[in-house]
Structures are given as structure tokens and as C-alpha cells.
Amino acid sequence: AGAATPQPPRQYKLAPQSELRVEVLPDAPLRVRLVTGTAEIFGTELPPEGWVPVPPRSKIAVFTWHGATVELDGVSESEYTSDETPMVIYVNTHAILDARRARARAAAAQGGDMEASQGPRVIVVGPTDSGKSTLCKMLLSWAAKLGWKPTYVDLDIGQGSITIPGCISASPIEKPIDIVDGIPLEMPLVYFYGHPNPSINADVYKVLMKELAKTLEKQFSGNAESRAAGMVINTMGWVEGLGYELLLNAIETFKANVVLVLGQEKLWKMLKDAVQSKSNIDVVKLHKSEGVVLRNSKYRQKTRSFRIREYFYGIANDLAPHSNIVNFSDVSVYKIGGGHQAPRSALPIGAEPVADPTRLVAVNISTDMIHTVLAVSYAKEPDEIISSNIAGFIHVTDVDIQRKKLTYIAPCPGDLPSRLLIASSLTWYEA
Ligand code: ATP
């Protein structure tokens, strides 16, 4: 492609219920402005005035319900309009969820039980690139616009949208998701799995889901408002074999009562047979948008790397991470799920050694850790690590074996909030 040829600012007149789809280049700024009418980007309204910068590499749709003129300024990778969108179906789904929230709130006001006062727990499933994260964003933003504070739960360790990859996390959504800043990061609840792929240790993934669900359950039991608003849960695009098993596990663990299946008839049928018949869980099939951009594995790998970079440098490259040095003896690094098994000699006679997939293993600091991400645990004792959430992340930039010193960058200055660190297979190379 080479250097981007400049493009003059241009206006698009959008008919009601149509959208302008734009792909932003990695290094050419692009901004969008509402000229007349009303329009939204994935559920968040464009302000009536002023330019909105669109983050690099993003792929967006500016959708209008009632018609709008919008202007683009800057070079894009592609841009086109379409009047074929599943938005009416999506907003109808939102309306049904909204009615359930209202019912839950009314039940709570009348002293109803935990079940009656529980709003919808929606889980969005579907193959990769079916638009799951995007639908989650829209459902959350539409709900927040009406004053609800739903909880976003992101179980996608590959392409998650709350924090860096390798995590499962949750965050309350109190206002429509910001077009530039994304999901608010003030109070995310993060559990660290440490790999972008669940098959490395599916048991740990399941245990972490359980821990997150337990914490949310506790929060909900003391907060009728967030209980009534419910959850919107994003999942991974892996829907076969172990991936399918993990979806069933997630539905059960988070007590989902609405399953939205995007773009795959077979998955919908399977889930309907598996869960709807046995319980009052609704399994609903939804069309996928043709606007969803396909991303190959190389692109995904790159995005993961950018997400890590963003954590330290900010989306707009506006943060400066702090470099720090600690002695090996100042920190303890652990790995969850060493896969090691108890030695035969330690077992009763005749017992077969079984690997404990969630076992905590102390890791020696080595040069192998350079370029990897370590999570800083809130745990006070090592045996609390698996059940504790994460304070933040550091990136190892150097390991000096001789002087026993580890150099890292962190988003904030000062001492680490904890000396207990969790190792990962997530790497990022500073360009
Ligand atoms: P994965 O399973 O890989 O996490 P996903 O199913 O969650 O993928 P999304 O992340 O929602 O898919 O969508 C993929 C990409 O397509 C995103 O960059 C998203 O912003 C973009 N996208 C979604 N809908 C549209 C649309 N209507 N027009 C343009 N781009 C879109």
C-alpha cells in the first residue's frame, strides 16, 4: 500500500437505518463528525457537534436510525455505506432485555426473592468474527443510555475488550461506552489466565470463571440496582469441541438466562437442545452483520500485541510507563497450573499420580522472562493467588542474573502493590 494518499474531507448522506462502515489505518489519523441528524457508533451516539477521533486500526460503523449526514476527515483503509444491517433485530432484543430489567427492578422493590429480582444475564456466543464484542457493546450502551448499570463480563482471552489478552474480566458500565476510550477501566475485576488460548489449561480457565462469577454474585447480592441491570457476557469464538464445552460451562457458571447465538445455525441448534429444554434459558438466534470485518490469525496476534502496548502507553500513545528495578528477592513469581504431578513416592501405595491442573508452581526468574507480561496479584499469600484478582501488569524489559535484578515497566510509578507476581506466555516486543 505504501504511504497513504491524502483524501479531502467528504460527507455522506445516510438514509434511515443505514450505516457508513470505515476501516482506519494503523498510522493515519481519521476523524468523524455529525453534520445533520443523529447517528451512533455501536450504540453510542455521536455528539451533535465537533470531531470525534477514531482510534487507529479500528473498524467501525456509523449507524443512523432516522437519517444523518456525517463527514469523514483523514485517510481510511476502506469506507462504504450499507442499508442492510441487523440493527432492528438487535434493538428489539435490547427492548426485550430492557423489559426484563424493569420487571426485576419492580420485583426487588416489592421485596421479591433473589431470582425474581435478577435481571437478564445475557451471554453472546458465535464463531470468530461474528460480531460478538460489537453486539455486547451495543446492548450495554443502549442499556446505559436508559440509566441501567449492567455489568460487562469478558471471557474472551484472545481478543478481549476490557484489558490485556489472557484475562477474564468484568466491569460495570454506567454510561454508553466511549467511542475513543472504550470500556471504562476504573473498576475492572480482572483474573489472570496468562495465555491467549484456553486449551493450554482449560481447567484453570474454568476455575477462574468460577472465581469471577462468585465475586460478581457477591456484589449483586448487595446491590439491587446492578442485579436488576444484569450482565452482558462476551465469549471466545471457539465453538467446537473443548470450545463448545467451555461455552456450556460459562452458561452454567454465570447462570446465564439468555443465550444470543450469532451467525451459526448449528451452534444455535446444539445449545438449544443442550440448555433450553432443561431450564428456562432462552436460546435466541441472531443474524450476523455483513459489516463485521474478518481478521486472520496473524492480525489477531498483532492486535494482542497492540493491546499490551496500549496498556502501558495508552490508546492514543498518551501515557508514559515507568521503568523500575527490583531484586529477585523482592518478588515471588508463580505460574498457575504447572502440570507437574505429585511424585509417586508421596502417594499412598497403589494410588495413581494425578496432575493437579490448578496447582501453583514457583518459577525461577530467568532471562526467558524478558519481553513477557507478569500480572501483579492482589493475593496476600501464594495459596490465594488463584482466587485473587489482579491489580495490574508489568512488562519485563531486562533480567540480570548476575546481579539478581529484574527491570520492568509499569503504568504507574512507585512500588508494586504486591510482591506476588504471576508468569504468563504473553509477550510483547517494543518496536
Ligand atoms: P472474535 O470472536 O474474534 O472476538 P467477534 O465475533 O467478537 O470476534 P467483533 O470484534 O465484534 O467480532 O467484530 C470484528 C470487527 O468487525 C471489529 O473490529 C468490529 O469493530 C468490526 N465490526 C463489527 N460490526 C461492524 C460493522 N457493522 N461495520 C464495520 N465494522 C464492524
Side-chain angles (χ1 to χ4, degrees):
T5 339
Q7 274 172 282
R10 57 266 177 214
Q11 294 195 350
Y12 288 90
K13 197 170 178 336
L14 299 172
Q17 293 182 26
S18 70
E19 66 188 22
L20 171 63
R21 297 172 182 160
V22 187
E23 288 188 67
V24 187
L25 288 161
D27 39 24
L30 187 103
R31 48 186 201 155
V32 58
R33 177 172 78 100
L34 187 64
V35 181
T36 60
T38 52
E40 58 185 52
I41 296 180
F42 302 145
T44 301
E45 279 182 276
L46 276 180
E49 270 166 23
W51 289 99
V52 177
V54 189
R57 283 178 299 274
S58 52
K59 299 152 194 329
I60 55 148
V62 184
F63 177 85
T64 178
W65 291 104
H66 306 292
T69 301
V70 296
E71 186 169 4
L72 289 184
D73 179 27
V75 187
S76 73
E77 185 168 350
S78 78
E79 55 192 67
Y80 68 98
T81 59
S82 171
D83 56 8
E84 275 176 43
T85 79
M87 293 293 276
V88 171
I89 310 172
Y90 292 176
V91 85
N92 286 341
T93 308
H94 154 74
I96 293 167
L97 300 175
D98 191 53
R100 291 199 186 181
R101 290 184 183 109
R103 223 187 301 152
R105 181 164 59 192
Q110 286 156 14
D113 62 13
M114 283 302 219
E115 186 155 345
S117 60
Q118 173 61 61
R121 294 188 176 189
V122 188
I123 185 165
V124 179
V125 306
T128 46
D129 299 323
S130 54
K132 296 179 293 300
S133 322
T134 306
L135 178 60
C136 287
K137 277 187 208 162
M138 290 192 270
L139 294 175
L140 290 161
S141 290
W142 287 332
K145 191 182 164 190
L146 296 177
W148 299 107
K149 294 175 180 165
T151 301
Y152 181 38
V153 178
D154 198 344
L155 303 178
D156 187 354
I157 49 179
Q159 307 281 317
S161 31
I162 298 186
T163 180
I164 70 162
C167 299
I168 64 170
S169 48
S171 178
I173 303 297
E174 308 198 330
K175 52 185 182 21
I177 296 166
D178 192 274
I179 295 168
V180 184
D181 298 335
I183 310 281
L185 289 177
E186 290 96 49
M187 332 168 241
L189 195 56
V190 181
Y191 289 83
F192 194 54
Y193 172 73
H195 318 281
N197 180 337
S199 61
I200 291 172
N201 197 334
D203 289 301
V204 172
Y205 183 77
K206 285 185 198 165
V207 169
L208 295 178
M209 283 204 286
K210 238 184 227 139
E211 291 295 337
L212 176 58
K214 203 163 78 186
T215 307
L216 289 175
E217 211 69 67
K218 220 182 281 162
Q219 291 182 350
F220 276 1
S221 68
N223 186 336
E225 196 187 3
S226 57
R227 192 173 173 79
M231 303 179 189
V232 176
I233 307 167
N234 185 27
T235 60
M236 290 178 284
W238 187 19
V239 297
E240 321 233 310
L242 177 60
Y244 176 74
E245 193 200 305
L246 292 174
L247 285 182
L248 288 179
N249 202 273
I251 293 171
E252 194 186 334
T253 305
F254 290 91
K255 300 201 178 78
N257 47 28
V258 179
V259 184
L260 301 179
V261 188
L262 275 172
Q264 208 194 69
E265 183 88 22
K266 181 178 144 206
L267 178 64
W268 168 71
K269 187 80 181 53
M270 277 167 71
L271 285 172
K272 205 172 155 68
D273 291 346
V275 302
Q276 185 161 303
S277 49
K278 284 188 239 135
S279 48
N280 42 11
I281 303 176
D282 294 311
V283 183
V284 183
K285 179 174 58 175
L286 295 177
H287 282 288
K288 101 174 230 240
S289 166
E290 289 305 318
V292 178
V293 181
L294 302 182
R295 300 163 298 175
N296 60 27
S297 62
K298 202 166 154 214
Y299 185 93
R300 282 164 192 279
Q301 168 58 38
K302 261 203 177 141
T303 318
R304 281 200 280 275
S305 184
F306 279 122
R307 298 281 307 180
I308 299 175
R309 186 179 193 284
E310 260 171 37
Y311 176 81
F312 295 101
Y313 287 91
I315 294 181
N317 214 6
D318 50 349
L319 303 178
H322 299 262
S323 188
N324 251 320
I325 300 176
V326 286
N327 297 315
F328 287 3
S329 58
D330 293 339
V331 293
S332 308
V333 187
Y334 289 89
K335 187 166 112 183
I336 305 172
H340 292 276
Q341 38 196 40
R344 254 173 215 282
S345 58
L347 293 172
I349 293 167
E352 278 302 305
V354 251
D356 175 2
T358 62
R359 211 172 81 116
L360 200 66
V361 184
V363 191
N364 289 327
I365 298 176
S366 74
T367 48
D368 291 350
M369 266 177 207
I370 301 176
H371 302 306
T372 68
V373 171
L374 303 178
V376 184
S377 177
Y378 270 126
K380 298 211 171 54
E381 298 298 331
D383 61 0
E384 292 171 357
I385 285 182
I386 195 152
S387 58
S388 299
N389 57 311
I390 295 303
F393 306 95
I394 60 174
H395 182 248
V396 182
T397 49
D398 194 31
V399 170
D400 185 334
I401 298 288
Q402 235 138 51
R403 293 169 51 225
K404 295 196 179 343
K405 288 194 189 289
L406 179 144
T407 311
Y408 65 89
I409 56 167
C412 341
D415 289 342
L416 291 172
S418 152
R419 60 187 307 267
L420 297 179
L421 307 177
I422 312 173
S424 81
S425 64
L426 301 164
T427 51
W428 164 61
Y429 298 87
E430 202 150 0

